[in-house]
Amino acid sequence: MKIAYRSDIGRIRLVNEDRAWAEQQDSGLVIAIVADGMGGHQAGDVASQLAVDTFRDSLQGKTAVLSLDERKMLIRQTILQANEVIYDMASRNDQYHNMGTTVVAALIQADNGVIGHIGDSRAYMWRDGELTRLTEDHTLVNELAKSGQISPEEAANHPRKNVLTRALGTDAQVEVDVRGISWAEGDLLLLCSDGLSNMVTDEQLRETLQSNELDLDGKADRLVQLALQAGGDDNITVVLLHHADDTEQER
């Protein structure tokens, strides 16, 4: 397994409200998460940090080999635990009122994995020359597009495309989308905040991920640079997981 992740404040924002973490446990379990915070007075970075900290603390040291169904249950429970932590802090502190965060996370083991997500941070799979998006945005614009009220072109340029219909920590109860994935030699999993996916086209993603001239670290750097070159309107965070024989982690 190779792991690379990058986070950049972008060209517009004064604070980086994105947080990420990725690690391969001694048991072989690979854990990764990206969270994109929201909320005034720097509450967004508090929410995203709480999400990552809760996720990491809950899962570090997991030594047992888990079945796919057990990992689905685990990722859902862990994300819901993070929801409780964020919602509780927001309820008890006026400066954190209504803070929240997106989350996209992965638990991978052996030949399969699970993805859990809330919001518009995304997961993509690069496999055998094909790019597949694994998550569906929980946004107002996506709901309008799904119902046929606006076209895909209108959705891409809609002024309210960042309005979330679901977020972590803003409500006492939240629904987590969880799906299983297969995981084969050569596969590459991308987790990212919308600061990447809103700025970089699918074609640019494909060109970067299939490049033989870049190692995994270079691909993460290239993706961030492409988002910056496109305007860098938001914080940009990228986590790349590559199914390879050797283990390597780069920050």
Side-chain angles (χ1 to χ4, degrees):
M1 174 69 67
K2 291 184 179 180
I3 300 172
Y5 57 93
R6 295 288 185 277
S7 190
D8 192 284
I9 195 171
R11 300 193 185 280
I12 306 296
R13 299 298 178 91
L14 299 178
V15 175
N16 190 346
E17 295 184 325
D18 287 0
R19 296 293 186 272
W21 175 72
E23 182 177 276
Q24 182 167 15
Q25 309 281 59
D26 291 340
S27 64
L29 181 68
V30 178
I31 304 167
I33 180 173
V34 169
D36 177 0
M38 59 186 191
H41 309 293
Q42 298 187 17
D45 58 327
V46 173
S48 58
Q49 189 67 59
L50 281 172
V52 171
D53 288 348
T54 303
F55 196 81
R56 181 184 60 233
D57 293 347
S58 298
L59 295 175
Q60 269 188 322
K62 291 287 181 185
T63 56
V65 176
L66 304 174
S67 69
L68 184 64
D69 285 342
E70 286 172 332
R71 269 174 288 145
K72 284 182 177 180
M73 184 182 300
L74 181 61
I75 201 168
R76 180 177 281 109
Q77 289 175 340
T78 305
I79 291 174
L80 290 176
Q81 182 181 348
N83 188 76
E84 290 181 14
V85 170
I86 297 167
Y87 183 77
D88 180 63
M89 179 168 283
S91 301
R92 291 187 289 105
N93 297 273
D94 288 344
Q95 71 268 35
Y96 298 146
H97 175 68
N98 210 36
M99 72 174 175
T101 182
T102 70
V103 63
V104 60
L107 297 180
I108 299 173
Q109 192 170 278
D111 58 356
N112 57 45
V114 295
I115 305 292
H117 95 286
I118 299 172
D120 60 357
S121 292
R122 294 180 179 179
Y124 293 86
M125 174 73 80
W126 174 257
R127 172 184 288 165
D128 297 331
E130 290 190 15
L131 182 71
T132 303
R133 199 168 112 198
L134 303 175
T135 54
E136 182 176 298
D137 295 345
H138 300 141
T139 61
L140 173 63
V141 166
N142 188 45
E143 292 298 322
L144 293 173
K146 283 167 57 180
S147 64
Q149 296 181 60
I150 61 174
S151 68
E153 292 75 23
E154 289 172 321
N157 300 294
H158 200 283
R160 302 187 69 196
K161 69 178 181 179
N162 291 326
V163 176
L164 299 178
T165 55
R166 206 188 305 177
L168 190 74
T170 55
D171 296 287
Q173 304 293 327
V174 68
E175 183 182 352
V176 186
D177 283 3
V178 176
R179 64 171 293 174
I181 60 169
S182 58
W183 184 240
E185 183 74 24
D187 285 353
L188 202 161
L189 184 67
L190 162 65
L191 307 182
C192 66
S193 62
D194 67 338
L196 181 80
S197 55
N198 282 342
M199 294 283 110
V200 178
T201 66
D202 284 359
E203 184 56 36
Q204 288 175 312
L205 288 179
R206 291 187 191 95
E207 290 176 357
T208 302
L209 297 180
Q210 73 181 359
S211 173
N212 293 321
E213 299 174 1
L214 299 170
D215 61 9
L216 198 65
D217 196 42
K219 290 176 181 180
D221 285 332
R222 172 73 61 82
L223 290 173
V224 170
Q225 288 305 312
L226 286 169
L228 290 171
Q229 290 167 14
D233 294 349
D234 201 351
N235 309 144
I236 307 152
T237 298
V238 175
V239 172
L240 292 175
L241 307 176
H242 184 211
H243 193 314
D245 288 336
D246 52 338
T247 299
E248 189 176 306
Q249 182 161 327
E250 304 181 16
R251 298 174 188 267

